[in-house]
């Protein structure tokens, strides 16, 4: 929603212009005006943002790409959930920093992204005036890290940690590496997935000065693994960046074994190691994306043994004072002092005799 207001005239003139995206939705997908109006209603509360590249990946209305980026009226009608279920603000000693674990901090360095994911955990503030990052806030956050010598790992996120200007990125990274107790830096970004053309040698030339630098990318569906995305990931890997993927279990997007398996195999082909699969957070406006935890267990069980173990992420639930690891229940069938009964990936039962003399 673009609002132009001129306050220097006697009467305030407010004129609303329709962003071009609406026409693209109309002409490419023949949406009804009713559906367009629903999208506009949601857009007012949780702004829509889709770039040309990601838009071009949509094949049809309501496909897995569409669901991730086009507003859905259920974001407003279904009020289940909380604004900040991860209590990030609670564990936040100052703006931009969440310090929850003993030795590492989350540092939000960008207030926006290439694309607004409809299932975003920080939906309450991304793209709104509730979240604006200033140079002062960044300097204060860096000072906090400098004065806490227990912090050895800094996770840069946002927004999208690569959706910042190169000078700002350089300033943040060079400040952090100058702090003796900061041993590693991680960057969380969806740019590889949502706009791979932004991954250039120029960007890599900045990043590679700050090793050990880990990048967590964010791919949700095999349709996002395009030649452009592969080029971008290969370029980062060639420049020594260690690539992991974090994705969310999303209803009607990737909540089946075949889709998730294809995604993880595709990631391995472009040198990205699946790191975390997140159970969808209890975020207001995203309830229609949530599945049961059993669903996630079934997917992990359905993958383990059938695809490279390297391609299987850790399935976690966040918002429990941190992340809690979830494993399928059936692996350990029973435990006694003497033996543990185990089930393998094909459902066959094995017994392991323990050494009870230790
Ligand atoms: C996820 C997260 C981290 C990093 O956790 P790892 O398990 O080390 O990847 C750190 N701080 C916060 C607040 C987080 O949410």
């Amino acid at each position: 929603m673009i609002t132009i207001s001129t306050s220097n005239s006697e009467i305030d003139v407010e004129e609303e212009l329709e962003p071009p995206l609406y026409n693209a939705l109309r002409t490419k997908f023949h949406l009804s005006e009713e559906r367009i109006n629903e999208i506009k209603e949601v857009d007012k509360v949780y702004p829509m943002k889709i770039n040309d590249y990601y838009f071009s990946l949509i094949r049809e209305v309501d496909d897995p790409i569409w669901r991730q980026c086009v507003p859905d009226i259920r974001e407003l009608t279904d009020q289940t959930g909380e604004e900040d279920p991860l209590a990030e603000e609670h564990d936040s000693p100052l703006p931009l920093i969440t310090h929850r674990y003993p030795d590492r901090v989350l540092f939000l360095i960008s207030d926006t992204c290439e694309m607004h994911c409809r299932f975003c955990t920080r939906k309450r503030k991304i793209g709104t005036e509730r979240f604006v990052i200033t140079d002062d806030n960044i300097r204060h956050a860096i000072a906090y890290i400098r004065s806490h010598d227990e912090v050895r790992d800094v996770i840069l996120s946002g927004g999208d940690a690569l959706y910042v200007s190169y000078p700002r990125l350089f300033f943040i990274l060079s400040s952090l590496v100058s702090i003796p107790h900061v041993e590693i830096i991680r960057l969380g970004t969806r740019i590889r997935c949502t706009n791979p053309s932004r991954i250039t040698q120029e960007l890599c030339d900045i990043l590679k000065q700050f090793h050990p630098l880990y990048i967590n990318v964010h791919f949700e569906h095999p349709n996002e693994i395009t030649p452009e995305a592969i080029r971008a990931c290969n370029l980062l890997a060639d420049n020594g960046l260690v690539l992991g993927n974090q994705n969310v279990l999303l209803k009607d997007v990737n909540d089946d074994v075949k889709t998730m398996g294809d995604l993880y195999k595709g990631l391995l082909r472009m040198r990205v190691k699946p790191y975390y699969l997140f159970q969808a957070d209890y975020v207001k406006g995203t309830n229609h994306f949530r599945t049961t935890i059993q669903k996630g267990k079934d997917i992990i069980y359905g993958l383990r043994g059938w695809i490279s173990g390297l391609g299987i992420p850790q399935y976690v639930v966040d918002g429990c004072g941190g992340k809690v690891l979830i494993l399928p229940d059936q692996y350990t069938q029973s435990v006694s002092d003497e033996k543990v009964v185990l089930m393998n990936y094909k459902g066959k039962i094995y017994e392991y005799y323990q050494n009870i003399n230790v």
Side-chain angles (χ1 to χ4, degrees), residues 224-352:
E224 295 164 351
I225 299 178
T226 62
E228 295 92 322
I230 294 170
R231 181 207 61 84
C233 288
N234 281 334
L235 185 61
L236 289 165
D238 285 346
N239 282 278
L241 292 140
V242 185
L243 304 178
N245 188 66
Q246 314 198 106
N247 75 307
V248 186
L249 175 55
L250 299 170
K251 187 167 181 298
D252 300 328
V253 173
N254 59 20
D255 60 336
D256 62 274
V257 174
K258 167 88 172 65
T259 306
M260 216 62 113
D262 287 348
L263 172 65
Y264 294 149
K265 285 182 286 184
L267 289 168
L268 289 183
R269 285 196 301 273
M270 52 184 195
R271 292 188 271 175
V272 177
K273 160 85 184 86
Y275 175 49
Y276 276 142
L277 167 63
F278 289 104
Q279 173 65 15
D281 292 329
Y282 189 62
V283 177
K284 196 164 140 191
T286 68
N287 197 40
H288 56 288
F289 284 113
R290 295 194 314 126
T291 66
T292 59
I293 287 184
Q294 187 59 48
K295 182 62 136 188
K297 290 180 180 179
D298 291 345
I299 289 175
I300 295 295
Y301 184 77
L303 291 174
R304 171 71 57 192
W306 300 101
I307 71 164
S308 313
L310 193 63
I312 300 177
Q314 302 177 73
Y315 173 45
V316 294
V317 182
D318 209 342
C320 309
K323 299 174 180 71
V324 172
L325 182 64
I326 307 276
L327 283 171
D329 302 315
Q330 55 268 59
Y331 289 133
T332 305
Q333 296 268 311
S334 70
V335 180
S336 68
D337 280 354
E338 196 196 4
K339 71 176 183 190
V340 180
V341 179
L342 300 166
M343 190 168 110
N344 83 354
Y345 71 107
K346 286 181 170 162
K348 283 181 75 176
I349 302 292
Y350 293 82
E351 292 177 345
Y352 178 82

Side-chain angles (χ1 to χ4, degrees), residues 127-146:
T128 76
E129 66 267 16
R130 293 170 70 181
F131 188 39
V132 178
I133 289 181
T134 65
D135 288 344
D136 261 0
N137 284 347
I138 294 221
R139 272 193 290 273
H140 291 146
I142 291 169
Y144 176 90
I145 295 168
R146 196 180 292 282

Side-chain angles (χ1 to χ4, degrees), residues 142-162:
I142 291 169
Y144 176 90
I145 295 168
R146 196 180 292 282
S147 64
H148 283 75
D149 61 8
E150 71 277 21
V151 176
R152 36 162 295 282
D153 176 3
V154 178
I155 297 134
L156 304 176
S157 182
D160 191 309
L162 286 182

Side-chain angles (χ1 to χ4, degrees), residues 68 100 220 252 279:
Q68 290 184 64
R100 172 172 301 144
E220 291 286 355
D252 300 328
Q279 173 65 15

Side-chain angles (χ1 to χ4, degrees), residues 12-253:
D12 276 6
V13 183
E14 279 217 345
E15 194 186 328
E16 287 185 356
L17 295 182
E18 190 186 81
L21 195 49
Y22 282 99
N23 245 344
L25 284 168
R26 278 196 195 89
T27 49
K28 190 165 171 196
F29 299 107
H30 312 291
L31 283 196
S32 67
E33 279 314 297
E34 191 190 345
R35 185 94 188 247
I36 292 277
N37 285 332
E38 284 182 2
I39 296 173
K40 284 184 177 168
E41 284 306 303
V42 182
D43 187 12
K44 281 184 208 157
V45 182
Y46 303 117
M48 166 168 67
K49 186 173 178 190
I50 314 171
N51 65 14
D52 291 345
Y53 168 78
Y54 203 76
F55 192 80
S56 76
L57 302 184
I58 302 175
R59 296 177 186 173
E60 57 188 30
V61 176
D62 291 333
D63 79 1
I65 304 294
W66 174 287
R67 286 182 196 281
Q68 290 184 64
C69 62
V70 180
D72 185 300
I73 194 67
R74 289 172 292 181
E75 295 174 44
L76 299 181
T77 54
D78 187 340
Q79 291 286 304
T80 312
E82 293 166 13
E83 300 244 294
D84 178 18
L86 306 188
E88 288 184 330
E89 326 267 313
H90 175 266
D91 287 336
S92 184
L94 72 169
L96 314 188
I97 293 279
T98 300
H99 193 174
R100 172 172 301 144
Y101 292 109
D103 70 340
R104 53 212 190 275
V105 296
L106 179 69
F107 177 7
L108 304 184
I109 63 168
S110 155
D111 48 30
T112 186
C113 292
E114 276 287 347
M115 192 265 275
H116 290 163
C117 304
R118 307 318 300 173
F119 52 91
C120 181
T121 287
R122 303 194 186 102
K123 194 178 178 89
R124 65 186 183 278
K125 56 184 186 181
I126 292 293
T128 76
E129 66 267 16
R130 293 170 70 181
F131 188 39
V132 178
I133 289 181
T134 65
D135 288 344
D136 261 0
N137 284 347
I138 294 221
R139 272 193 290 273
H140 291 146
I142 291 169
Y144 176 90
I145 295 168
R146 196 180 292 282
S147 64
H148 283 75
D149 61 8
E150 71 277 21
V151 176
R152 36 162 295 282
D153 176 3
V154 178
I155 297 134
L156 304 176
S157 182
D160 191 309
L162 286 182
Y163 198 67
V164 294
S165 70
Y166 288 174
R168 177 181 274 189
L169 188 63
F170 186 86
F171 171 76
I172 293 168
L173 290 172
S174 54
S175 305
L176 291 175
V177 296
S178 77
I179 301 174
H181 52 266
V182 172
E183 296 173 8
I184 64 169
I185 301 172
R186 297 191 250 173
L187 265 154
T189 169
R190 213 180 170 190
I191 277 191
R192 247 62 41 66
C193 174
T194 54
N195 189 0
S197 65
R198 284 176 70 99
I199 305 300
T200 57
Q201 188 56 49
E202 190 190 357
L203 175 64
C204 290
D205 286 341
I206 298 178
L207 297 177
K208 72 183 188 196
Q209 302 169 51
F210 304 106
H211 285 315
L213 190 53
Y214 291 76
I215 295 199
N216 267 323
V217 300
H218 178 178
F219 287 81
E220 291 286 355
H221 191 276
N223 290 0
E224 295 164 351
I225 299 178
T226 62
E228 295 92 322
I230 294 170
R231 181 207 61 84
C233 288
N234 281 334
L235 185 61
L236 289 165
D238 285 346
N239 282 278
L241 292 140
V242 185
L243 304 178
N245 188 66
Q246 314 198 106
N247 75 307
V248 186
L249 175 55
L250 299 170
K251 187 167 181 298
D252 300 328
V253 173

